[in-house]
Amino acid sequence: MPYSDQKNATMNIVRKHNIRAQKKYGQNFLTDEGVLDGIVEAAGVCGEDHVVEIGPGLGSLTKKLAEQASHVTAIEIDKQMIPVLEEELAGFDNINVICADVLKTDLKAIADTYPGECVKVVANLPYYITTPIVTGLLESGIHFKSITVMVQTEVAERMQTGPGSKDYGALSLAVQYYSRPEIVLDVPPECFFPMPGVGSSVIRLDLYEKPPVEVKDPAKMFGIIKASFMQRRKTLSNALQNNPDTKIPREKTESILTRMGLDLRVRGEALTLEQFAEFTDLL
Ligand code: SAM
């Protein structure tokens, strides 16, 4: 379908059902056919896949996913969208719509619904909860093959970057511990209704079978990472001593830094994932 027809199709659904996009739910509906196809292609959706979609909205991406996948489970918080989805997706027998808050949903049970199918997450995410959704998916222990999501461009860059960049932080390290991130598409505001006030990007996270670094206690490492970036302009030794969750005496941090051959005045923002893992194990 050409761009203008798709835009009309989306707007027709909006008018037909008298939809008011709800800001509180981060509703910015995709209207660009090329972007919808681009997301499905980037996710590499195929006939062996069970796709979990977060926030189907008016169902434009859901339809495209269902055309390629074996099954689609779509989780939507907004009750207003349910009759719209029932009508728009009536022709499909491989879509299951669940009306729920994704942050309070048993994703493990959903992922186990179709044994033998490869589980992939695909979504145009509600931007107000991008970080809890992505970290929740990564830390869930569920064997997702990949997570392909539209997020704010700034957040996509944060996920992909390393030490030395102002965008580097706890989210970068969590994403890179569990997956290999790749920004696959930049999407301007004109491709949505209503237009968001920020640029958007599609990022694909290919989950590792085994993390790229070994650390005895990953939860402890993430506690240290969080404390380091809470006061990112402070030295690592000060940040870890001041933080009520870590309270590591400065001398202890300094002795580990010496063993690692690092400057005693180093900031957490200069450490790589490997160095955070080594620091945690030495602690
Ligand atoms: N997938 C549609 C599209 O691309 O046009 C809509 C995407 S819109 C950016 C985000 C969607 O997520 C909305 O439909 C919104 O209602 C839904 N949503 C927001 N918060 C949610 C939550 N906590 N759980 C599930 N869905 C949520």
Side-chain angles (χ1 to χ4, degrees):
M1 205 188 291
Y3 171 81
S4 55
D5 289 358
Q6 172 64 23
K7 188 142 198 156
N8 290 340
T10 303
M11 296 316 294
N12 283 343
I13 299 173
V14 169
R15 276 191 288 267
K16 185 162 102 190
H17 298 269
N18 199 17
I19 301 287
R20 280 182 187 279
Q22 303 234 45
K23 221 175 168 178
K24 68 170 176 178
Y25 288 142
Q27 290 178 350
N28 298 94
F29 304 111
L30 263 170
T31 55
D32 189 313
E33 177 86 357
V35 174
L36 290 164
D37 287 334
I39 296 173
V40 180
E41 194 181 319
V45 177
C46 67
E48 284 84 52
D49 293 341
H50 171 202
V51 174
V52 178
E53 187 193 4
I54 298 163
L58 303 171
S60 351
L61 181 58
T62 323
K63 273 183 213 160
K64 299 255 178 199
L65 292 167
E67 281 164 9
Q68 304 298 329
S70 172
H71 294 97
V72 177
T73 302
I75 307 162
E76 173 58 60
I77 197 171
D78 186 0
K79 290 190 190 77
Q80 174 186 226
M81 294 295 155
I82 304 303
V84 181
L85 287 165
E86 275 167 8
E87 192 173 325
E88 295 303 318
L89 307 174
F92 293 87
D93 61 3
N94 61 342
I95 303 175
N96 180 24
V97 176
I98 298 173
C99 186
D101 178 346
V102 68
L103 296 176
K104 296 181 185 152
T105 301
D106 182 357
L107 292 173
K108 175 88 176 74
I110 291 175
D112 289 344
T113 317
Y114 306 105
E117 292 189 9
C118 208
V119 189
K120 293 178 177 167
V121 175
V122 184
N124 170 17
L125 285 182
Y127 293 173
Y128 73 107
I129 42 170
T130 301
T131 302
I133 291 178
V134 172
T135 50
L137 292 170
L138 292 171
E139 291 168 0
S140 66
I142 301 168
H143 187 70
F144 295 115
K145 176 91 178 147
S146 60
I147 299 172
T148 306
V149 282
M150 176 91 71
V151 298
Q152 221 175 303
T153 300
E154 195 193 310
V155 177
E157 282 164 0
R158 240 187 277 159
M159 291 182 189
Q160 218 188 219
T161 198
S165 149
K166 66 169 177 38
D167 294 328
Y168 185 55
L171 180 64
S172 330
L173 287 153
V175 164
Q176 292 165 34
Y177 177 74
Y178 291 104
S179 71
R180 195 179 60 79
E182 187 186 351
I183 295 178
V184 287
L185 206 60
D186 287 324
V187 183
E190 295 73 38
C191 296
F192 300 83
F193 169 81
M195 284 195 246
V198 291
S200 303
S201 299
V202 178
I203 188 163
R204 190 185 62 235
L205 313 178
D206 290 314
L207 272 78
Y208 293 123
E209 294 280 338
K210 194 168 150 284
V213 300
E214 277 190 34
V215 58
K216 288 192 195 91
D217 186 347
K220 188 171 172 186
M221 176 177 77
F222 284 113
I224 288 168
I225 289 171
K226 198 170 147 204
S228 316
F229 285 99
M230 290 251 268
Q231 291 188 301
R232 63 183 297 150
R233 306 306 297 163
K234 292 237 187 301
T235 62
L236 182 68
S237 53
N238 278 339
L240 297 184
Q241 179 168 266
N242 296 348
N243 192 289
D245 292 330
T246 47
K247 280 195 197 145
I248 302 167
R250 181 181 299 118
E251 306 71 47
K252 190 157 191 176
T253 298
E254 289 183 350
S255 97
I256 296 172
L257 291 175
T258 306
R259 283 179 69 183
M260 290 174 67
L262 292 171
D263 191 323
L264 299 187
R265 302 203 51 75
V266 74
R267 292 177 182 152
E269 64 182 6
L271 264 61
T272 61
L273 177 60
E274 291 73 14
Q275 287 169 325
F276 274 113
E278 189 184 351
F279 182 92
T280 309
D281 280 352
L282 288 171
L283 198 67

